[in-house]
Coordinates of all heavy atoms in Angstrom, one line a residue:
P81 N -62.2 58.7 -116.5 CA -63.1 59.5 -117.3 C -64.6 59.4 -116.9 O -65.3 60.4 -117.1 CB -62.9 59.0 -118.8 CG -62.2 57.7 -118.6 CD -61.5 57.7 -117.3
L82 N -64.9 58.3 -116.3 CA -66.3 58.2 -115.8 C -66.5 59.2 -114.6 O -67.6 59.8 -114.5 CB -66.6 56.8 -115.4 CG -66.7 55.8 -116.6 CD1 -66.9 54.4 -116.0 CD2 -67.8 56.2 -117.5
A83 N -65.5 59.3 -113.8 CA -65.6 60.3 -112.6 C -65.7 61.7 -113.2 O -66.5 62.5 -112.7 CB -64.4 60.1 -111.7
A84 N -65.0 62.0 -114.2 CA -65.0 63.3 -114.8 C -66.4 63.6 -115.4 O -66.9 64.7 -115.2 CB -64.0 63.4 -115.9
L85 N -67.0 62.6 -116.0 CA -68.4 62.8 -116.6 C -69.4 62.9 -115.4 O -70.3 63.7 -115.5 CB -68.8 61.6 -117.5 CG -68.0 61.5 -118.8 CD1 -68.4 60.3 -119.6 CD2 -68.3 62.8 -119.6
G86 N -69.2 62.2 -114.4 CA -70.1 62.3 -113.2 C -70.0 63.8 -112.6 O -71.0 64.3 -112.2
L87 N -68.8 64.3 -112.6 CA -68.6 65.7 -112.1 C -69.2 66.7 -113.1 O -69.7 67.8 -112.6 CB -67.1 65.9 -111.8 CG -66.6 65.1 -110.6 CD1 -65.1 65.2 -110.5 CD2 -67.3 65.6 -109.3
V88 N -69.2 66.4 -114.4 CA -69.9 67.3 -115.3 C -71.3 67.3 -115.0 O -71.9 68.4 -114.9 CB -69.7 66.8 -116.8 CG1 -70.7 67.5 -117.7 CG2 -68.2 67.0 -117.3
L89 N -71.9 66.2 -114.7 CA -73.3 66.1 -114.3 C -73.6 66.9 -113.0 O -74.6 67.7 -113.0 CB -73.8 64.7 -114.2 CG -75.2 64.4 -113.8 CD1 -76.2 65.0 -114.8 CD2 -75.5 63.0 -113.6
L90 N -72.7 66.7 -112.1 CA -72.9 67.5 -110.8 C -72.8 69.0 -111.1 O -73.6 69.8 -110.5 CB -71.8 67.1 -109.8 CG -71.7 67.8 -108.5 CD1 -73.0 67.5 -107.6 CD2 -70.5 67.5 -107.7
M91 N -71.9 69.4 -111.9 CA -71.7 70.9 -112.1 C -72.9 71.4 -113.0 O -73.3 72.5 -112.8 CB -70.4 71.1 -112.9 CG -69.2 71.0 -112.0 SD -69.1 72.2 -110.6 CE -69.6 71.2 -109.2
V92 N -73.4 70.6 -113.9 CA -74.6 71.0 -114.7 C -75.8 71.2 -113.7 O -76.5 72.2 -113.8 CB -74.9 70.1 -115.8 CG1 -76.3 70.3 -116.4 CG2 -73.8 70.1 -116.9
C93 N -75.9 70.3 -112.8 CA -77.0 70.4 -111.7 C -76.8 71.7 -110.9 O -77.7 72.4 -110.6 CB -77.0 69.2 -110.8 SG -77.6 67.7 -111.6
A94 N -75.5 72.0 -110.6 CA -75.2 73.2 -109.8 C -75.6 74.5 -110.6 O -76.1 75.4 -110.1 CB -73.7 73.2 -109.4
I95 N -75.3 74.4 -111.9 CA -75.6 75.6 -112.8 C -77.1 75.8 -112.8 O -77.6 76.9 -112.6 CB -75.0 75.4 -114.2 CG1 -73.5 75.5 -114.1 CG2 -75.6 76.4 -115.2 CD1 -72.8 75.0 -115.4
V96 N -77.8 74.7 -113.0 CA -79.3 74.8 -113.1 C -79.8 75.3 -111.7 O -80.7 76.2 -111.7 CB -79.9 73.4 -113.4 CG1 -81.4 73.4 -113.2 CG2 -79.6 73.0 -114.9
F97 N -79.3 74.8 -110.6 CA -79.7 75.2 -109.3 C -79.5 76.7 -109.1 O -80.4 77.4 -108.7 CB -78.8 74.4 -108.3 CG -79.0 74.9 -106.8 CD1 -80.0 74.5 -106.1 CD2 -78.0 75.7 -106.3 CE1 -80.2 74.9 -104.7 CE2 -78.1 76.2 -105.0 CZ -79.2 75.7 -104.2
H98 N -78.4 77.2 -109.5 CA -78.1 78.6 -109.3 C -79.0 79.5 -110.3 O -79.4 80.5 -109.9 CB -76.6 78.9 -109.5 CG -75.8 78.5 -108.3 ND1 -75.9 79.0 -107.1 CD2 -74.8 77.6 -108.3 CE1 -75.1 78.4 -106.3 NE2 -74.4 77.6 -106.9
V99 N -79.1 79.0 -111.5 CA -80.0 79.8 -112.5 C -81.4 79.9 -112.0 O -82.0 80.9 -112.0 CB -79.9 79.2 -113.9 CG1 -80.9 79.8 -114.8 CG2 -78.5 79.4 -114.5
M100 N -81.9 78.7 -111.5 CA -83.3 78.7 -110.9 C -83.5 79.7 -109.7 O -84.5 80.2 -109.5 CB -83.7 77.3 -110.5 CG -83.9 76.4 -111.7 SD -84.3 74.7 -111.3 CE -85.8 74.9 -110.3
R101 N -82.4 79.9 -109.0 CA -82.4 80.8 -107.8 C -82.1 82.2 -108.2 O -82.0 83.1 -107.3 CB -81.5 80.3 -106.8 CG -81.8 79.0 -106.2 CD -80.7 78.4 -105.3 NE -80.1 79.3 -104.4 CZ -80.6 79.6 -103.1 NH1 -81.7 79.1 -102.7 NH2 -79.9 80.5 -102.4
G102 N -82.0 82.5 -109.5 CA -81.6 83.9 -109.9 C -80.2 84.2 -109.7 O -79.8 85.4 -109.6
E103 N -79.3 83.2 -109.6 CA -77.9 83.4 -109.3 C -77.0 83.0 -110.5 O -75.9 82.5 -110.3 CB -77.5 82.6 -108.1 CG -78.3 82.9 -106.8 CD -78.1 81.9 -105.7 OE1 -77.6 80.8 -106.0 OE2 -78.5 82.2 -104.6
A104 N -77.5 83.3 -111.7 CA -76.7 82.9 -112.9 C -75.3 83.5 -112.9 O -74.4 82.9 -113.4 CB -77.5 83.4 -114.2
H105 N -75.2 84.7 -112.2 CA -73.8 85.3 -112.2 C -72.8 84.5 -111.4 O -71.6 84.8 -111.4 CB -74.0 86.7 -111.6 CG -74.5 86.8 -110.2 ND1 -75.8 86.5 -109.9 CD2 -73.9 86.9 -109.0 CE1 -76.0 86.6 -108.5 NE2 -74.8 86.8 -108.0
L106 N -73.3 83.5 -110.6 CA -72.4 82.7 -109.8 C -71.9 81.4 -110.5 O -71.2 80.6 -109.9 CB -73.1 82.3 -108.5 CG -73.6 83.4 -107.6 CD1 -74.3 82.8 -106.4 CD2 -72.4 84.2 -107.1
T107 N -72.3 81.2 -111.8 CA -72.1 80.0 -112.5 C -70.8 79.9 -113.3 O -70.4 78.9 -113.8 CB -73.2 79.6 -113.4 OG1 -73.4 80.6 -114.4 CG2 -74.5 79.4 -112.6

Side-chain angles (χ1 to χ4, degrees):
L82 292 176
L85 289 175
L87 291 170
V88 166
L89 180 60
L90 177 67
M91 290 294 104
V92 167
C93 289
I95 291 166
V96 169
F97 171 81
H98 286 298
V99 168
M100 288 176 59
R101 292 171 45 87
E103 302 168 343
H105 63 283
L106 299 176
T107 62

